[in-house]
Structures are given as structure tokens and as C-alpha cells.
């Protein structure tokens, strides 16, 4: 059962977990930021596998483009970034590791024993090939904008206000006195 | 065969890696990057559920999970901009972004 979506999924999954670990464990903060860019690109690959083309493009534009540049600028402006140990660990990192491992085990156990596991086994056995190609953007747009049908048009408008407030807030907070 | 479980477990693992980074880092920019990883993990889970449930007639075949992912991306972008502005402002005033040394409100 080694079809193309399965192989692609495992390659992307290994890439995602590896780059996430590299971001978290890297001593040099610039390296961490560059691994973060690879992580965002690989996440876009997951969205393509899930027939969510629009989310994949937005991921590349906003995360891999804008957020990575923003993080790199913040590193450049805040410290002598090229120093060796710019990204130290807190003293109790082992406690954080224990908590996170316990949380991961709990979530994976819950996923394995839930009713949704049955759903994935029966209804949509192979979800990467189940969706109709090309149709999801139209349905997504109707669900976001449509003023007549059931849609999320009011939260969408509020999101624009959130972005405006964030722009103004970033300028006000980051301004030189 | 890739099922819903594969994507949910992947999201959970990435979320826990990001949580570890957010808890164990001392550099404020490093903590912010870990939080971005956690938000991406949540997005992966939401989009996976959207693709799995879109053929479920009981839920109307809607792509609600993808809409939620778009809102999360919007809020995450706003959060990143404001947080990095705050980090730069703190650096100008105190000359450090080590969260262990920013303890003005510690009891």
C-alpha cells in the first residue's frame, strides 16, 4: 500500500518534525529562524496533501514570507546575533521535556481510542485522494463571504479590524521615543 | 494509507515540540518561534479534520476547519507583528531579551 500520497506524507512528516526539533534545539538563533522557514514550507506541503490549496498558498505567503522576514529582522535588531550561544536553555528544561512528552503520549492515546479513529478507518479511508480536486477554493470562498448563505462574513470583517489594530499597535510600541 | 489519525498525531507531535520550545527557551524571539510552531500544528489538525469531515452530510459538507485555519493565520500574523515590536521596545529599554532577566512583575 505504498502509493504516492503515503510516501509524500511520510517525507513531509519527517521533514516537519526534524525542522521543528531543529528550531527548538538549535543553539544559534539565526539557524533556528532559517529552519523555521523550512518548517513553514513543509507545512504548506501538508495542506496540499489535504486538498487545501488556498491554505497552502496563504501559508507560503504569510508564514514562509512575512513572518520569517519579521523574525529575522527582530533578531537583527535586538542582539549580536552571530554570537555562539544566543539562544540558551532555561535551567529547568528537563521538566518541560517531561511535561511535553506526557502531553504527547496523552494526545496520541486519546486519538487512538476515539470514535474519530473509526471514522477515519471507514468513511474516508484514504483522505488524501478522497477530495475532489480544484473545488475547495470556491466552497471556501462561499463559506467566508456569502451574505445570503451560512457564512463567516462577520468574523471575517472583524479580522480586518484586528489586523488594523495590530499594524497601529506595532508602530506605536516599536516607535523610538 | 494516510488516514485522519496520521495527520492528528503529526499535529500533536509538532504541538508538543513547540510547547517544549516555548517552555525551555530564554530568548524571547525563540519563544515566539516556538509559539508559531504550535499555531501551525493546530492549523494542520484543523485542516485535516476539515478534509475528513467535508464528505459528512450531517455536517453539511462545509469546510469550516479551513475557515478556522485562515482566522488563526490572521491572528498569528498580528500576534507576531505586535510581539516582535514589544521585544524590540524591551530591548531598547533594558538591553536584553532574555526572559529570565525581564522580571519586573515577578512576585
Amino acid at each position: 500500500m505504498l502509493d504516492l500520497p503515503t510516501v509524500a506524507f511520510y517525507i513531509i512528516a519527517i521533514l516537519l518534525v526534524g525542522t521543528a526539533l531543529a528550531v527548538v534545539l538549535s543553539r544559534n538563533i539565526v539557524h533556528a529562524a532559517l529552519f523555521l522557514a523550512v518548517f513553514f514550507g513543509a507545512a504548506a506541503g501538508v495542506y496540499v496533501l489535504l486538498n487545501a490549496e488556498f491554505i497552502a498558498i496563504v501559508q507560503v505567503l504569510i508564514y514562509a514570507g512575512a513572518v520569517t522576514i519579521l523574525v529575522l529582522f527582530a533578531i537583527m535588531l535586538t542582539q549580536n546575533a552571530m554570537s555562539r550561544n544566543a539562544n540558551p536553555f532555561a535551567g529547568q528544561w528537563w521538566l518541560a521535556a517531561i511535561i511535553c512528552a506526557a502531553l504527547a503520549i496523552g494526545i496520541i492515546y486519546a486519538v487512538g481510542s476515539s470514535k474519530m479513529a473509526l471514522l477515519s478507518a471507514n468513511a474516508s479511508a484514504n483522505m488524501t485522494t478522497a477530495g475532489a480536486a480544484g473545488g475547495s477554493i470556491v466552497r471556501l470562498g462561499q463559506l467566508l463571504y456569502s451574505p445570503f448563505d451560512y457564512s463567516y462574513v462577520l468574523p471575517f470583517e472583524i479580522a480586518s479590524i484586528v489586523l488594523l489594530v495590530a499594524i497601529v499597535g506595532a508602530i506605536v510600541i516599536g516607535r523610538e521615543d | 494509507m494516510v488516514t485522519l489519525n496520521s495527520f492528528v498525531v503529526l499535529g500533536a507531535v509538532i504541538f508538543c515540540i513547540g510547547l517544549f520550545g516555548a517552555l525551555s527557551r530564554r530568548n524571547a524571539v525563540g519563544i515566539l518561534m516556538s509559539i508559531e510552531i504550535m499555531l501551525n500544528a493546530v492549523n494542520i489538525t484543523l485542516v485535516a479534520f476539515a478534509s475528513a469531515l467535508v464528505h459528512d452530510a450531517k455536517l453539511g459538507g462545509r469546510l469550516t476547519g479551513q475557515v478556522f485555519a485562515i482566522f488563526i493565520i490572521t491572528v498569528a500574523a498580528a500576534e507576531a507583528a505586535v510581539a516582535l515590536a514589544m521585544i524590540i521596545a524591551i530591548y531598547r529599554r533594558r538591553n536584553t531579551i532574555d526572559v529570565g532577566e525581564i522580571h519586573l512583575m515577578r512576585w
Side-chain angles (χ1 to χ4, degrees):
Chain A
M1 278 272 218
L2 217 62
D3 47 351
L4 185 63
T6 312
V7 176
F9 173 78
Y10 281 110
I11 290 172
I12 293 173
I14 291 167
L15 193 62
L16 272 174
V17 174
T19 48
L21 280 173
V23 170
V24 166
L25 299 176
S26 166
R27 287 269 166 204
N28 190 328
I29 188 107
V30 179
H31 292 177
L34 296 177
F35 277 121
L36 192 69
V38 181
F39 174 86
F40 289 151
V46 173
Y47 299 141
V48 172
L49 270 181
L50 286 165
N51 298 307
E53 305 94 351
F54 182 70
I55 309 278
I57 292 166
V58 166
Q59 168 87 13
V60 171
L61 283 178
I62 294 180
Y63 274 116
V67 172
T68 308
I69 298 295
L70 213 58
V71 167
L72 282 171
F73 261 99
I75 293 167
M76 187 187 79
L77 288 175
T78 47
Q79 63 185 16
N80 42 352
M82 290 305 163
S83 70
R84 269 246 169 263
N85 198 0
N87 202 8
F89 278 107
Q92 291 173 321
W93 64 271
W94 50 272
L95 195 60
I98 292 170
I99 290 170
C100 296
L103 183 64
I105 291 167
I107 293 175
I108 290 170
Y109 175 74
V111 167
S113 60
S114 72
K115 290 205 172 70
M116 284 292 183
L118 296 176
L119 182 142
S120 68
N122 298 326
S124 56
N126 198 344
M127 55 192 297
T128 53
T129 54
S136 78
I137 291 181
V138 174
R139 295 163 75 179
L140 187 62
Q142 282 170 350
L143 192 55
L144 259 183
Y145 300 118
S146 174
F148 309 112
D149 204 2
Y150 178 89
S151 73
Y152 290 85
V153 64
L154 189 62
F156 183 80
E157 299 296 338
I158 293 171
S160 66
I161 298 173
V162 169
L163 282 176
L164 180 68
V165 170
I167 293 167
V168 176
I171 292 172
V172 168
I173 293 170
R175 189 184 48 187
E176 304 241 14
D177 293 322
Chain B
M1 192 166 68
V2 190
T3 60
L4 175 61
N5 276 13
S6 321
F7 289 97
V8 176
V9 167
L10 175 67
V13 169
I14 295 171
F15 183 87
C16 291
I17 292 171
L19 181 63
F20 171 71
L23 289 177
S24 66
R25 280 285 175 222
R26 302 190 59 163
N27 189 319
V29 180
I31 291 174
L32 193 78
M33 290 196 286
S34 306
I35 290 172
E36 296 291 340
I37 288 176
M38 289 164 71
L39 289 165
N40 262 279
V42 173
N43 272 349
I44 288 171
T45 312
L46 280 173
V47 175
F49 274 109
S51 317
L53 299 176
V54 73
H55 302 291
D56 194 337
K58 214 166 36 179
L59 296 168
R62 294 197 179 100
L63 288 166
T64 311
Q66 292 195 23
V67 174
F68 272 58
I70 289 173
F71 287 138
I72 288 179
I73 289 172
T74 310
V75 174
E79 171 247 339
V82 173
L84 291 171
M86 282 169 66
I87 289 168
I88 290 170
I90 290 171
Y91 179 74
R92 280 216 201 93
R93 185 153 301 195
R94 305 183 60 116
N95 221 14
T96 180
I97 54 168
D98 188 329
V99 293
E101 294 172 25
I102 306 167
H103 47 64
L104 210 64
M105 292 174 74
R106 184 188 259 176
W107 48 279

